[in-house]
Amino acid sequence: QVQLVESGGGLVQPGGSLRLSCSASGILFSLYVMNWYRQAPGKQRNLVASLTSTGTTNYADSVKGRFTISRDNAKKAVYLQMNSLKAEDTAVYYCNALSTSSTTYWGQGTQVTVSS
């Protein structure tokens, strides 16, 4: 059974930082592209950051220079370090695993709220 479990969300003030974690089980983790998506209320789910098995990263323009995606294949975990958070970063953040055959798995999401 495949499971992706996110953690690390919460309430933070503008300008603050959070680190999201996603632990995977049931997949050959090192072979998957790992992604972070987010979905704000009333909006579609959008890609925030991705990290391939070979270490290539990609970021949405809105988070470049502020967010960093990383992975630990030994721990089957992917992380999203979020700095200089803004109110517009408020959303539910989802971990996603994508295989070379386009099989995809989702976590349950973790809420990030940026507010003073």
Side-chain angles (χ1 to χ4, degrees):
Q1 181 181 359
V2 177
Q3 279 194 313
L4 299 177
V5 180
E6 301 100 333
S7 61
L11 174 64
V12 63
Q13 292 187 340
S17 298
L18 280 176
R19 187 190 193 215
L20 305 183
S21 299
C22 172
S23 295
S25 60
I27 60 173
L28 291 174
F29 181 83
S30 61
L31 301 182
Y32 279 70
V33 177
M34 296 304 298
N35 306 297
W36 286 99
Y37 284 76
R38 68 185 180 187
Q39 187 168 21
K43 296 189 177 181
Q44 66 181 17
R45 190 174 297 188
N46 292 319
L47 180 65
V48 174
S50 64
L51 177 55
T52 70
S53 58
T54 57
T56 301
T57 58
N58 184 51
Y59 296 94
D61 287 342
S62 59
V63 307
K64 282 180 181 176
R66 300 188 299 122
F67 290 12
T68 302
I69 188 171
S70 61
R71 65 193 295 164
D72 185 331
N73 288 337
K75 294 183 178 180
K76 296 187 176 182
V78 62
Y79 309 99
L80 187 67
Q81 178 66 43
M82 306 186 294
N83 299 329
S84 302
L85 283 161
K86 306 175 181 180
E88 50 264 43
D89 295 318
T90 295
V92 178
Y93 284 71
Y94 295 91
C95 178
N96 170 267
L98 179 66
S99 76
T100 54
S101 61
S102 299
T103 301
T104 190
Y105 300 102
W106 293 92
Q108 83 288 351
T110 185
Q111 176 70 47
V112 172
T113 302
V114 184
S115 175
S116 55

